[in-house]
């Protein structure tokens, strides 16, 4: 039996913040460094304010773009009034990956205890594209990547991973 070969995926990174610029975007930089370090391709990168419609429009644009397989957003997943990233993601999702938030909470509990309850990290699928909304802290981005996404976005990971089912994500849209 031969080992599977690594398949790089094309990942867009969106930082949601009213104050961040590329030079001080620690969470976005953390995600970019990690995805490139794992052998994946940075497809695009943007910073947008905490505005639900703008976030959803960018997610939809990336979902319609054949050069983007995965979108990682960071920021806007908390409980304050300006935290609207989760709602924007859910405006776009065709299917939510419910267990992503559960597993992220489990990972976070080991690091920050009951404070993990304040995160609304989420994942979903739209137009054959994976979408993940991560908290805005570099530590949370490291945890999500190192404990979940690096494995699930690696075709070699067994018993199963997101990459191996990628070709079937939009099968319901194909003509029969």
């Amino acid at each position: 039996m031969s080992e599977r070969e690594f398949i790089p995926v094309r990942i867009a990174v969106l930082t949601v913040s009213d104050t961040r610029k590329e030079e001080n975007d620690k969470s976005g930089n953390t995600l970019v460094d990690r995805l490139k370090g794992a052998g994946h391709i940075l497809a695009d990168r943007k910073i947008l304010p905490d505005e639900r419609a703008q976030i959803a429009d960018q997610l939809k644009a990336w979902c319609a773009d054949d050069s983007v397989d995965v979108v990682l957003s960071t920021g806007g997943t908390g409980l304050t009034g300006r935290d609207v990233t989760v709602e924007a993601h859910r405006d776009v999702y065709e299917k939510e990956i419910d267990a992503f938030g559960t597993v992220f909470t489990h990972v976070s509990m080991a690091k920050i205890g009951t404070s993990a309850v304040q995160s609304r990290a989420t994942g979903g699928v739209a137009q054959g594209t994976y979408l993940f909304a991560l908290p805005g802290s570099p530590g949370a981005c490291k945890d999500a990547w190192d404990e979940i996404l690096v494995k699930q976005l690696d075709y070699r990971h067994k018993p199963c991973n997101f990459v191996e089912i990628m070709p079937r994500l939009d099968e319901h849209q194909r003509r029969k």
Side-chain angles (χ1 to χ4, degrees), residues 7 15 18 28 36 38 41 50 52 56 66 78 96-99 118 142 148 172:
I7 299 172
T15 298
D18 290 331
K36 285 182 174 180
I41 299 157
D50 293 277
R52 184 173 176 170
D66 289 338
E96 191 159 355
I97 305 170
D98 297 315
Q118 293 187 34
K142 287 176 188 174
I148 306 168
H172 65 289

Side-chain angles (χ1 to χ4, degrees), residues 97-105 121-124 132-134 144 148-149 162:
I97 305 170
D98 297 315
F100 179 79
T102 303
V103 172
F104 180 79
T105 300
T122 184
F132 298 97
L134 310 176
I148 306 168
L149 294 171
F162 290 142

